[in-house]
Amino acid sequence: MARVSSVHVCSDCGHETPRWHGQCPGCGAWNTLVEEAVARPAAKASRGAAGGGAIAPVALGEVRAEAVARLSTGIGELDRVLGGGVVPGSLVLIGGSPGIGKSTLTTMALANLAASGRRTLYVSAEESAAQIKLRAERLAPAPGGRRAALEIPVIAETDLGAVLATLERERPDVCVVDSVQTLHSGALSGAPGSVGQVREVAGEIMRVAKTHGIAVLLVGHVTKEGALAGPRVLEHLVDCVLQFEGERERTYRTLRALKNRFGSTSEAGVFEMRQDGLVEVLDASARFVGEATRAPGSVVLAAMEGSRPLLVEVQALVSESDLEIPRRVVSGIDRNRLALVLAVLARHGGVGVGASDVFVNVVGGVRVDEPGADLAVALAVASAARGIALTGAPAAPEEGPGPSPLACFGELGLTGELRTVAHAERRVAEARKFGLRTVVTPEAGTLRAALRALRGRERSRPGADAQVATA
Ligand SMILES: Nc1ncnc2c1ncn2[C@@H]1O[C@H](COP(=O)(O)OP(=O)(O)OP(=O)(O)O)[C@@H](O)[C@H]1O
Ligand SMILES: [Mg+2]
């Protein structure tokens, strides 16, 4: 192997230095020097082969593009998020916090691919082969009783060179690399997981994968802030970035695409972690509605998870604070969004919770990142602040006793108006499907009008229906 050396390059100004500095000698920026390998003989040769000569451009219509069949992972939710399966030769980055189930998901996908006759390879730089085996044994066998997970060839290796050589020799159809932060390239002196290393590891794996048409699922860790650890350049490099999220203590997990060169990024899949692996949750709405408490502070949000409607319960608790700056604690929604909703609620809805602690939680560990959640948060907080349960029209007798939970969706404008959000009909249809008769939609016009439901019930007999603009 040719001797390789490395330089440190400033990611802001491109200044190169042989040694690492905290501050770039070129532009003075701090912490921007990243180690990079130099003089890669293979790269030089390929440039030389092109000879720098002119290349005749080809009209796109004449470009030969063979339709390649996608490889099904056998996990419907994963296939859907990928846009219909794994594209041969593509590089997919799966990010998620520790213990969320990245290794479980990728092992299950490989097991299904192996069962359907694909060549697979599991590269683990984090766990020993024995640990991977224990996990594989835990996973449920395929319908035929076959334990395909135990047929996956594995290597437990942290050296990038060895992994690349194995890939070249084995030429699997699909390979999992777990994880990109623990592989180490001998060409760089940086520790595994450093920016330079992660970039080098991903770049080299991509080179080999594209050459041999190997689809690679790269597992990546996320930082405390929720971003993929390692440089953003990793996200540019790969074809697809999937984020696996949820809370480790809860059973529900969602998988969503942040970037996808071969499909929509608005898809999301819901899973449940069980003893024998991750199970797709196809009836998530039914579960969340079934579990909804109908108590003060609870309302059902008709959300969209990608192209699919999902009903989730949003709960709020407003309690007297003993702190000078009251607490604002959220789980499943954006904290800044709560601040906005509380401000609009106080200014335009007549519900001020300034001096109280406010807790908002989306039940089941689900995260909703859409403006359509505003109204649900507002109604849940208002309901909690007044101590009045917000329920819809009584359920049909066959749906059990008592009123049905109140469903809603809509974005809050800063002037207190309700703004329409995408897929209103599908959200309403989903609520209807699960027996929620009363749905507060943006057609109510303003937050004040939407809150009238609450007020009406305060004044009148308990159990009165929420009479607001309902679809
Ligand atoms: N016996 C078990 N029964 C139920 N759930 C289990 C069992 N063993 C492990 N788990 C679940 O699997 C999770 C670990 O899954 P996995 O190893 O796939 O996560 P990971 O994202 O790869 O983690 P890491 O970041 O450590 O690599 C645990 O957090 C736990 O929720
Ligand atoms: Mg793992």
Side-chain angles (χ1 to χ4, degrees):
M1 202 173 145
R3 208 184 76 82
V4 277
S5 58
S6 65
V7 288
H8 291 86
V9 183
C10 173
S11 51
D12 278 4
C13 71
H15 183 90
E16 284 185 19
T17 91
R19 286 183 47 221
W20 186 83
H21 300 271
Q23 187 179 22
C24 170
C27 66
W30 286 95
N31 286 329
T32 53
L33 288 185
V34 174
E35 191 185 21
E36 280 182 10
V38 288
R40 220 168 277 134
K44 279 249 167 98
S46 69
R47 244 175 260 141
I55 301 166
V58 186
L60 277 179
E62 286 156 31
V63 174
R64 278 186 50 203
E66 280 144 37
V68 281
R70 291 181 183 241
L71 311 175
S72 168
T73 61
I75 305 172
E77 298 282 282
L78 175 61
D79 280 351
R80 208 162 46 80
V81 174
L82 284 170
V86 184
V87 174
S90 66
L91 201 60
V92 178
L93 180 63
I94 300 180
S97 40
I100 200 81
K102 303 176 294 294
S103 306
T104 308
L105 182 71
T106 47
T107 309
M108 287 172 63
L110 275 199
N112 293 339
L113 284 158
S116 64
R118 302 284 171 188
R119 290 169 59 83
T120 58
L121 179 66
Y122 193 100
V123 177
S124 178
E126 292 200 333
E127 295 168 302
S128 67
Q131 281 173 304
I132 306 167
K133 182 179 177 195
L134 285 179
R135 175 179 303 106
E137 282 176 340
R138 210 182 84 214
L139 299 180
R146 187 171 155 202
R147 284 202 172 267
L150 295 176
E151 294 164 24
I152 304 171
V154 297
I155 57 167
E157 180 56 62
T158 55
D159 179 54
L160 177 66
V163 171
L164 294 179
T166 314
L167 277 180
E168 299 249 13
R169 199 187 62 203
E170 299 292 323
R171 306 260 176 105
D173 295 315
V174 186
C175 166
V176 168
V177 177
D178 190 1
S179 68
V180 67
Q181 275 100 354
T182 42
L183 278 183
H184 178 262
S185 162
L188 304 179
S189 56
S194 64
V195 176
Q197 281 284 357
V198 168
R199 212 152 73 167
E200 173 77 5
V201 166
E204 284 297 288
I205 288 178
M206 180 168 83
R207 189 177 56 77
V208 174
K210 297 274 177 206
T211 316
H212 301 298
I214 305 169
V216 179
L217 305 177
L218 269 184
V219 173
H221 293 233
V222 296
T223 58
K224 268 203 298 270
E225 290 75 38
L228 274 161
R232 284 222 74 126
V233 68
L234 205 57
E235 296 186 23
H236 291 294
L237 195 77
V238 301
D239 298 306
C240 191
V241 180
L242 305 185
Q243 178 90 320
F244 202 23
E245 47 191 23
E247 281 160 45
R248 214 171 0 170
E249 310 77 40
R250 319 267 193 95
T251 56
Y252 293 111
R253 271 119 224 239
T254 46
L255 180 73
R256 57 180 96 230
L258 302 184
K259 157 179 171 174
N260 193 348
R261 286 188 180 146
F262 311 112
S264 152
T265 50
S266 59
E267 292 296 344
V270 183
F271 292 92
E272 185 179 357
M273 180 59 97
R274 297 231 193 110
Q275 156 82 25
D276 55 358
L278 287 158
V279 184
E280 299 167 50
V281 180
L282 300 173
D283 58 345
S285 287
R287 291 197 191 193
F288 293 136
V289 170
E291 291 166 6
T293 57
R294 298 160 207 208
S298 156
V299 36
V300 171
L301 163 67
M304 291 299 291
E305 273 287 354
S307 60
R308 204 170 47 163
L310 176 71
L311 303 176
V312 286
E313 183 187 1
V314 176
Q315 293 188 343
L317 173 69
V318 176
S319 77
E320 212 168 291
S321 180
D322 48 12
L323 298 177
E324 203 161 305
I325 303 172
R327 289 189 194 89
R328 301 284 180 255
V329 183
V330 296
S331 153
I333 62 159
D334 182 35
R335 200 161 179 266
N336 292 328
R337 208 70 205 173
L338 173 66
L340 182 147
V341 169
L342 293 185
V344 175
L345 206 51
R347 181 72 183 77
H348 300 287
V351 182
V353 290
S356 312
D357 289 335
V358 178
F359 303 84
V360 175
N361 179 28
V362 183
V363 177
V366 178
R367 205 181 154 75
V368 277
D369 262 330
E370 59 151 344
D374 290 355
L375 182 57
V377 175
L379 291 183
V381 170
S383 158
R386 303 257 157 116
I388 296 163
L390 272 185
T391 48
E398 68 272 16
E399 285 156 9
S404 65
L406 180 83
C408 64
F409 63 90
E411 181 181 354
L412 273 191
L414 293 185
T415 57
E417 85 278 19
L418 291 178
R419 311 186 67 95
T420 47
V421 288
H423 305 297
E425 313 78 45
R426 299 189 55 197
R427 296 175 197 250
V428 172
E430 181 82 353
R432 292 267 184 276
K433 192 167 133 197
F434 292 98
L436 307 187
R437 307 276 203 80
T438 313
V439 187
V440 185
T441 75
E443 279 172 40
T446 59
L447 176 64
R448 217 166 256 282
L451 284 169
R452 223 163 278 151
L454 191 69
R455 300 254 167 73
R457 299 204 42 197
E458 207 170 12
R459 272 186 260 110
S460 67
R461 69 215 144 87
D465 301 348
Q467 293 300 330
V468 284
T470 57

